[in-house]
Amino acid sequence: MTAVPHPPWARIAVGTPEPAFESRPPGPHAFEHPDSSCDGWSTDRFALRLASVRGSAHRYYGRPRQDAARAAAHPATGSLVFAVADGVSSAAEAEHGATEACRAAVERLLHLLDLGPGPLDLASVVGHAAERLRELAGWRLQTADPSPAEVAGLYATTLVAGAVRPAGQETQVELCRVGDSGAWLLDRTSGGYLPLFAAKNPPEAVVVSQAVSPLPRVPDRLEELTTRLAAPDLLLIGTDGFGDPLGDGDGQVGVHFARALTAPPPPLWFGHLLDFSRETFDDDRTLLAVWPEAAPR
């Protein structure tokens, strides 16, 4: 009997995999939110990879991916900016909320860099994203003044946004977040993960999290941080579809990524790494990675 060859690009199993099945379509109005997306490029100073994949639960039940990510280079300053969002599942159109929050955040970050040097006004980034959601809800509901509850009911989403900027010979990271998506520094030598924001069950973190409350609510005290990025560390920004299976980074998922991300992989392979199969972890996943050196050309 001839053995059946292992199919190319089969999902990578990390521990016990989920049962295999064919994904269901997410509906006729979700064509702007494909099952998976990925991107990757390098500037003279940095390499970026990002991917967003639909979780097994949404694939099985025919729901659209509710995560989103956007990134852009700012050639005048040598910086890169980014946003990662996780639409809240109870929101009726969470996928649109996540996408629009990312777009608005990146637009605002690029504008702030155009204004000149100095710390970024990250509160205005969050405010701009919240206002975009309010405008979208007004258009959707045909009202000039939708209530915060109406906006949240349609488009509630988490958001992590920021920039990686040259600072002389060093590299500076400025981040903010609303909600419970996360950020980490991965030490490529030791394989250890340092959370930059408090996790759901935090050991230690650079910033202590307050109660989780997503956009369109803008918190009175925004979670912000500034840190340095230097080899052997790389910066990771991810939704809880990545953060939950990662945990403290000491398990199989942490090892999976620590081994694979010692150097920037091809963008499609980065997406394949993120789309691993592990039982009980079936949420959408989004991950953005920044290396403080350009990928080989």
Side-chain angles (χ1 to χ4, degrees), residues 88-115:
V88 176
S89 59
S90 60
E93 299 183 14
E95 62 276 14
H96 294 293
T99 298
E100 288 303 318
C102 285
R103 285 175 177 166
V106 167
E107 288 170 0
R108 181 63 181 169
L109 286 162
L110 290 171
H111 172 70
L112 292 173
L113 289 173
D114 285 341
L115 296 179

Side-chain angles (χ1 to χ4, degrees), residues 56-254:
S56 293
H58 285 165
R59 286 170 173 166
Y60 185 83
Y61 291 107
R63 298 289 306 280
R65 172 170 51 87
Q66 296 174 335
D67 280 6
R70 295 290 187 273
H74 188 261
T77 61
S79 306
L80 60 87
V81 300
F82 49 81
V84 169
D86 180 356
V88 176
S89 59
S90 60
E93 299 183 14
E95 62 276 14
H96 294 293
T99 298
E100 288 303 318
C102 285
R103 285 175 177 166
V106 167
E107 288 170 0
R108 181 63 181 169
L109 286 162
L110 290 171
H111 172 70
L112 292 173
L113 289 173
D114 285 341
L115 296 179
L120 295 174
D121 182 1
L122 295 177
S124 77
V125 173
V126 171
H128 187 65
E131 177 61 19
R132 177 69 59 82
L133 298 183
R134 192 191 71 81
E135 292 172 353
L136 191 63
W139 174 84
R140 177 72 169 76
L141 300 172
Q142 294 298 289
T143 177
D145 190 22
S147 70
E150 287 175 321
V151 181
L154 286 170
Y155 303 124
T157 183
T158 73
L159 179 68
V160 178
V164 177
R165 301 203 278 173
Q169 297 302 310
E170 296 188 341
T171 297
Q172 179 174 285
V173 179
E174 294 169 76
L175 291 177
C176 67
R177 82 161 174 180
V178 178
D180 62 353
S181 294
W184 301 262
L185 292 178
L186 168 58
D187 185 325
R188 287 173 282 170
T189 300
S190 68
Y193 294 80
L194 172 66
L196 298 178
F197 295 109
K200 292 178 180 177
N201 300 300
E204 65 271 345
V206 174
V207 172
V208 177
S209 175
Q210 307 301 317
V212 172
S213 183
L215 291 174
R217 180 183 177 273
V218 177
D220 294 332
R221 184 177 180 182
L222 180 65
E223 289 186 85
E224 300 181 63
L225 67 90
T226 300
T227 190
R228 191 172 69 94
L229 178 62
D233 289 343
L234 68 92
L235 175 68
L236 299 175
I237 311 292
T239 60
D240 57 6
F242 169 78
D244 286 353
L246 176 69
D248 61 10
D250 289 341
Q252 291 174 300
V253 171

